[in-house]
Amino acid sequence: MDFVFDEDKEDKEKYFYKVKLSDVETNKVFYDKFTFIYLEMPKFTKPLAELNTHFERWMYVFKNLDSLQAYPESLTNGIFKSFFAEAELAQLPLDKQREYENSLKYYRDLNNVIDTAFDDGKELGKAQGIELGKAEGEYNKSVEIAKNLLSLLDNETIAANTGLSVDIIQSLRK
């Protein structure tokens, strides 16, 4: 909330409220799974250097997200890294967001094709009784995947997704 409750205006430390509905006659909680959480953002004034808990870090981010020029180094790991990435995407114009989502879908589809090709290659090798060294087997699988992708993708994309060099991909095109 962007305001402070009148009842607790003087208590500067109380900015988190967990509220449940109760029956007026019995004072029993009406439904335990139904909870309201209120955060009085104006009361949260801790600077970045004084944040001790994960909850305080989230409060800081929510309160200051619109004014941060750069993401604080202490908040660039784990879930905060993902959060800031999503926040950046949310600021893009709608057409750029769609463009990003489409490229992400294409990337995931490509990875699934490669994963499926690796899985199929393993099964084929087992069915044919082929025993290869792990490194040699991985290399051969990568070459087979690359051959299957030659008509679909450019050399750099195939190389990036198979671990083979661009030179090897070029030689496969000959």
Side-chain angles (χ1 to χ4, degrees):
M1 300 180 317
D2 200 20
F3 64 89
V4 174
F5 288 124
D6 288 337
E7 292 81 8
D8 288 329
K9 196 182 294 187
E10 302 306 316
D11 188 356
K12 301 296 182 194
E13 297 297 314
K14 176 79 172 150
Y15 52 82
F16 175 81
Y17 295 86
K18 191 173 184 179
V19 179
K20 293 188 180 286
L21 297 177
S22 65
D23 183 287
V24 177
E25 291 177 10
T26 64
N27 287 329
K28 289 184 181 177
V29 173
F30 175 69
Y31 185 60
D32 190 44
K33 293 178 176 57
F34 191 58
T35 304
F36 294 95
I37 295 179
Y38 295 97
L39 304 171
E40 291 180 317
M41 298 309 285
K43 285 185 179 179
F44 185 80
T45 58
K46 282 192 175 186
L48 184 62
E50 293 179 17
L51 303 179
N52 296 316
T53 67
H54 204 59
F55 176 72
E56 289 175 348
R57 290 182 194 96
W58 275 113
M59 289 291 291
Y60 180 86
V61 167
F62 287 140
K63 182 164 185 177
N64 297 294
L65 185 62
D66 64 337
S67 63
L68 292 175
Q69 298 299 318
Y71 305 126
E73 190 172 322
S74 62
L75 298 177
T76 56
N77 57 358
I79 191 71
F80 292 107
K81 184 175 182 178
S82 299
F83 175 78
F84 287 133
E86 288 296 321
E88 284 183 25
L89 289 175
Q91 289 183 341
L92 292 175
L94 196 54
D95 61 325
K96 294 293 182 189
Q97 287 181 26
R98 285 192 189 115
E99 189 177 312
Y100 172 79
E101 292 296 329
N102 288 336
S103 70
L104 191 58
K105 181 184 179 305
Y106 177 76
Y107 171 78
R108 289 176 178 155
D109 288 346
L110 182 60
N111 276 338
N112 287 334
V113 166
I114 290 170
D115 288 345
T116 301
F118 269 117
D119 291 343
D120 290 347
K122 288 177 188 174
E123 294 303 315
L124 180 62
K126 287 179 188 174
Q128 295 175 347
I130 299 172
E131 292 292 327
L132 299 172
K134 186 175 181 179
E136 184 181 359
E138 292 292 324
Y139 174 79
N140 289 339
K141 288 176 197 171
S142 294
V143 169
E144 287 305 311
I145 292 168
K147 285 179 182 178
N148 292 333
L149 297 174
L150 288 174
S151 64
L152 300 172
L153 302 170
D154 61 87
N155 292 351
E156 290 75 19
T157 303
I158 296 171
N161 286 284
T162 61
L164 299 172
S165 70
V166 173
D167 292 336
I168 291 173
I169 304 300
Q170 286 173 338
S171 72
L172 294 175
R173 290 195 183 274
K174 295 177 184 175

